[in-house]
Amino acid sequence: MEPGSVAILLGTGMVTRSRDTEYPFRQDSDFWYLTGFDHPNAIAVIRSDDGPPYTLFVEPRDRDLETWTGYRPGVEGAKRDYEADDSYPSTEFGERLPRLISGAKRIYHVLGRDPKVDGAITRTIEELRLRSRQGIEPAEAIVDPRAITHVMRWIKAPVELDIMRRAADISREAHAEGARLAQAGTHEYELEAAIEYAFRRRGARGAAYTTIVGGGANATVLHYVRNDQKLRQEELVLIDAGCELEGYASDVTRTWPVGGRFSGPGRAIYEVVLAAQHAALELCAPGATLPAIHDAAVKVIVEGLVELGVLEGDPAELAAREAHRPYYMHGTSHWLGLDVHDVGAYKQGGEPRPLEEGVVFTVEPGIYVAPDTEGVDQRFHGIGVRIEDDVAITENGHENLTSEIPKDPDEVEAMVAGN
Ligand code: GLY
Ligand code: MN
Ligand code: MN
């Protein structure tokens, strides 16, 4: 922050699931990144003037309430365990706000999250302006702190990469356990349960996003999460499942043959997607861009679809007019970190952002042939394949964090068969 600034950062509160029950608490990613404070309704005040650099407003200790909802660090814990210079109960935030921001040249605050806090800040600035004859100068600007935090979060520090490696390893184990259940007659939710049990057993918070288990044609629905159908012999089942560990997401997709043997058309599509993923992974290095990585995947997918007779024509011309869109309708990559679709700009000055050491993203090409697709050989109807890995850019190339999760078709068959 510029000197003379004060940042006001809001943690998350509880979110209602139904009537009077709540979802488990999940801290705001920026707040977690900056504070490591994992309790609801906190506000952090960080300053670059001569005031105390770090104040944490928190829910105070309360013997009665803690009987219901558990331990709170309280103001004592905020200072003792979270290195806050000052700490007050969250309920005192409003009354302390004028003192916190009077004298600040800039206020860093995300507008639009909490109208009450927005109103308190703008009202306070206005009141300070009215006291200008007493020599008080109100802040000149309210600036979005995400211009700073999202640049910081885009590059992962070694400690973050370590967590992401561990998250990837838990997801590896979970996928292996799910794979063994990819047998005819098993319900999609049984795989989901086995995978999420493995996440929790190894200490992950749970799934980083809703687990997708799509058998047969369900694999052609990109965000299929009902997971309530039975698997059938020789179908494919697409699993998109990754755990969240210490706030960090892993994001992995594998596609398995139910019963352990690919059908002819299933294997043909699978091999095209795998070749596309290899072509994309090969480009992952400092200086490359996500659009270039996507184009490499598209090239292989279009060539493959022409070879299989799904598309007809010159591959380069087909790719140029995006003829693959009915079968490959999503991007190849997104940033990955504390959010599964992580923060960070995709363009800089209108140009794709070149990759740098420490950047983490997914590589996830796919082919999806919906069951009702006209003009495509019936054999391919209802086949959906995606293969997704998590990649960290290194000094000279990349590290595939999820490379230990089998994807070679022979290895996949062996894994499903339990070998
Ligand atoms: N699982 C969400 C995604 O792959 O982007
Ligand atoms: Mn995914
Ligand atoms: Mn993804």
Side-chain angles (χ1 to χ4, degrees), residues 209-210 212 223 240 251 253 334 340-341 362 364 386 388:
Y209 51 91
T210 309
I212 295 170
H223 290 164
D240 188 343
D251 182 7
T253 308
H334 55 80
V340 64
H341 297 157
T362 65
E364 50 176 307
R386 176 164 66 254
E388 174 175 32

Side-chain angles (χ1 to χ4, degrees), residues 106-111 118 121-122 125 139-144:
R106 284 173 158 232
I107 296 170
Y108 287 85
H109 172 65
V110 178
L111 288 167
D118 295 354
I121 292 173
T122 49
I125 292 175
E140 291 163 5
I142 300 178
V143 184
D144 194 326

